[in-house]
Amino acid sequence: MKAIGIDVGGTFTDLIYVDRQTGAQGIHKVSTTPHDPSQGVITGLTELMVQGAIAPSDIAQVFHGTTTATNAVLEARGARAGMITNQGFRDVLHIGRHQRPDHYSIMQEIPWQNRPLIKRRYRKTVQGRLVPPTGEELEPLDEAAIRKAARELKAEGVEAVAICFLFSYLNPIHENRARAIVAEEMPDAFVTTSSDISPQFREFERFTTAALATFVGPKVGRYVRNLEGALADQKISGDLRIMASNGGVVTPRMVTQNPALTMMSGLAAGVLGGAWVGQRCGRDKVITFDIGGTSADIGIAIDGVCAETDARSTSIAGFPLLMPMLDIHTIGAGGGSIAYVDQGGAFKVGPQSAGADPGPAAYGRGGTKPTVTDANLVLGRLEPGDFLGGEMGLDLGAAQAVIKDLAAELGMDPLEAAEGVLTILNANMANAIRSRTVQRGIDPRAFSLVAMGGAGPLQGAEVAAMLEVPEVIVPPHPGITSALGLLIADLKYDVIHTQFQVSTSADLALFNSEFAEMEAKLTARLTEDGLNTEDVRFERAGDLRYLGQGYELRVPFDLGEVTETALEQVWQRFHKSHAAEYGHAFESSSIEVVNLRMTAVGPSPDLDLPTLEGGKGLDAAHVRTRQAVFRVDGRLQSFETQVYRRDFLPLGVPVPGPAILLQKDSTTVVPPKATAMPHETGSVIISLEAKS
């Protein structure tokens, strides 16, 4: 059974196919087509099929990671969206929680006020009110007002509408009726409800999550439909699955109904792929470090389990997002990041990127600004004639020209300026990793760094050295690791119910009935999507806090009947989790459950890739010796650097740095005082010299 993984990045679209029966595999990269990413997907797919002699009918599964929703939010290029809410609550999206994202900044940007997802003039209010604790109706819904609001929004060119009412997480009856009316009046619009998108308490976060889904809904829907149509045109009838932010894959139908599921689609696949590569090498604690052309994405995995975010820190572009998501930290730092001198005279790199078009000056497509790729080329760390396996040449002269202009502005030597670009970039990345490790009580020195993406292996060793991480793992195909992660992702559907219960008066019957209802809901959803439920396993969890606290910790619940004994185990898990997170626990305090969660997991088939038996020898792998520039012991020095074909390197033979390892989808830099060792899994492990 052949499966294909396709990950669309800001600069390149990466593809990998694997025959799950034989272990045969192939990879391919094409430039991303920003105006319509599906065009790049189909171009890459057809070329990959030709290269691998794959018939369309042989493809059983297509797994896809998309940045369509992410980019729409980051670039503020979504739909003209409207909202219908309770009278008196028109400005929930604007007011937020009266909290400043940065407490002490007087110049800060507040995203939901500076660039609202739904402009105020497109927010309509109607009479109708439900009340807690059960969601009973206090005031009937004004259906005539709903119809009037829908007609007004239609006349104003609104193409997507969010229905957001108070306490709909307790009872969605008003939202469901309003959606039906709006759909009658606006049959071509994308219409959704906050109870469908995120049925949880906290109205600002729930409303904003629904607004995000509405803002990206039409664009995501068009993209998915275009992709499905293009696959059909290519006679590919295999199942299409799309990566969700929770680290699982879902059906296209699920994505078009709830496009917010894909806010971190491609990024989640990278963390999964990096964790899998680490485990194959026998490493259970890894920091995944995925650098593409535009951004660097950082994740943590322990024992193959990727960390998930909590309600306090789940956001995209500054907007809170109440959705299950892997804990991924993204910064604007990649191969295309632009180096510049700001108005205050500071030397900076990123977050602006040259992207795919025109790209870095070295691409020869008209780029005129110095980038990280240009700096690496000028320093001799990239081979001008061997980029993308020789399919794309790099223009050394153009790179030298833009770096020379930058150096003149800085009053520096060009090589110093180029190395400065990399030092600033690496420091930014190291600081981002510290924010996910050191600042959370995690010692990065106990981890391995999995360097992936097209630019990860170029920077990985130097970033690891800044953090005193002892080794770097470079996957077999680092530039395709996110696409590989798609192939190992499980099918994963989530359901969340808000339910308030206190440990001192827990209602066991209510716990059991809620979990039974959630399991039935998930089973029905799987059946509607035509999925086999026989092999699905269910996982339970709850969001818990001490009574009176404002934020929660996620704690697992065992399967089976919820009994007094089972609940006591949950309370003890919470105490331990609180102590691990905050350094203390209040074991005599009452505990409050606020949300119950259930996940249906359909395991993906095992991906059993063959191990390597050896290479062609170090001499056969040697391509040339060239000069490359590195900073060692505080001094910038030029070193004779050995250049090797990575696929020819023999197992068990160390490759001392400085060295450059060439392959199609990336270039690996082994700096001085480091040693690379090819591993039987196809990865390369770079050991760094410990600091004295």
Side-chain angles (χ1 to χ4, degrees), residues 137-174:
E137 186 177 79
L138 177 67
E139 181 181 32
L141 184 66
D142 187 342
E143 296 190 4
I146 294 281
R147 202 170 295 279
K148 178 175 181 289
R151 290 172 179 171
E152 290 174 352
L153 291 173
K154 182 178 181 180
E156 291 167 336
V158 167
E159 55 182 322
V161 180
I163 312 294
C164 301
F165 292 149
L166 296 179
F167 306 111
S168 61
Y169 61 87
L170 295 172
N171 183 356
I173 186 170
H174 279 187

Side-chain angles (χ1 to χ4, degrees), residues 51 127 205 212 238 255 330 382 387 417 548 553 573 586 593 646:
Q51 291 177 11
Q127 295 280 4
E205 288 82 359
L212 282 164
V255 170
T330 300
L382 286 172
F387 195 67
L553 295 174
R573 288 171 190 155
F586 304 104
V593 179
R646 177 176 169 175

Side-chain angles (χ1 to χ4, degrees), residues 213-515:
T214 307
F215 187 70
V216 304
K219 182 171 283 191
V220 170
R222 284 192 295 269
Y223 176 70
V224 171
R225 289 189 293 272
N226 288 345
L227 182 59
E228 287 184 298
L231 291 173
D233 291 342
Q234 297 297 320
K235 311 299 183 187
I236 297 172
S237 58
D239 294 332
L240 174 63
R241 297 288 182 263
I242 297 174
M243 173 60 71
S245 304
N246 65 356
V249 290
V250 295
T251 62
R253 175 176 170 272
M254 279 289 294
V255 170
T256 54
Q257 287 180 346
N258 187 353
L261 290 170
T262 64
M263 285 298 179
M264 293 291 180
S265 173
L267 311 188
V271 177
L272 292 178
W276 185 80
V277 166
Q279 284 204 302
R280 287 197 86 210
C281 293
R283 274 66 172 178
D284 291 330
K285 290 184 175 181
V286 299
I287 300 167
T288 62
F289 184 55
D290 187 356
I291 311 178
T294 305
S295 63
D297 308 315
I298 297 151
I300 306 291
I302 298 175
D303 295 329
V305 178
C306 304
E308 292 190 5
T309 58
D310 53 39
R312 292 167 296 169
S313 53
T314 306
S315 65
I316 179 169
F319 294 97
L321 184 65
L322 276 185
M323 300 288 291
M325 288 175 58
L326 296 187
D327 188 3
I328 305 168
H329 185 46
T330 300
I331 62 171
S337 292
I338 295 170
Y340 64 100
V341 180
D342 70 10
Q343 292 180 339
F347 185 6
K348 293 187 176 181
V349 180
Q352 297 89 352
S353 174
D357 186 14
Y363 284 8
R365 297 174 179 167
T368 59
K369 297 180 179 179
T371 67
V372 171
T373 297
D374 299 313
N376 273 307
L377 184 59
V378 167
L379 293 171
R381 304 186 191 186
L382 286 172
E383 281 283 295
D386 205 320
F387 195 67
L388 291 184
E391 293 181 6
M392 179 177 175
L394 296 179
D395 188 337
L396 176 59
Q400 289 173 330
V402 293
I403 293 294
K404 184 178 179 181
D405 290 342
L406 176 67
E409 191 173 0
L410 291 165
M412 300 172 65
D413 176 81
L415 290 179
E416 288 278 0
E419 200 277 336
V421 171
L422 301 189
T423 297
I424 293 171
L425 178 87
N426 293 339
N428 290 342
M429 294 175 178
N431 286 335
I433 293 175
R434 288 189 187 99
S435 74
R436 317 315 278 182
T437 55
V438 176
Q439 294 177 19
R440 295 183 173 185
I442 298 172
D443 187 351
R445 295 173 296 184
F447 286 70
S448 300
L449 186 73
V450 181
M452 53 197 189
L458 276 166
Q459 314 300 143
E462 292 185 337
V463 172
M466 289 180 173
L467 297 162
E468 298 184 49
V469 171
E471 66 178 16
V472 176
I473 300 173
V474 182
H477 303 295
I480 313 292
T481 306
S482 288
L484 173 69
L486 292 164
L487 300 183
I488 60 173
D490 296 328
L491 182 82
K492 189 180 289 188
Y493 284 8
D494 293 291
V495 169
I496 302 169
H497 283 186
T498 288
Q499 180 191 116
F500 293 97
Q501 289 214 53
V502 180
S503 57
T504 52
S505 58
D507 185 336
L508 297 178
L510 186 55
F511 274 121
N512 285 302
S513 64
E514 281 288 318
F515 279 130

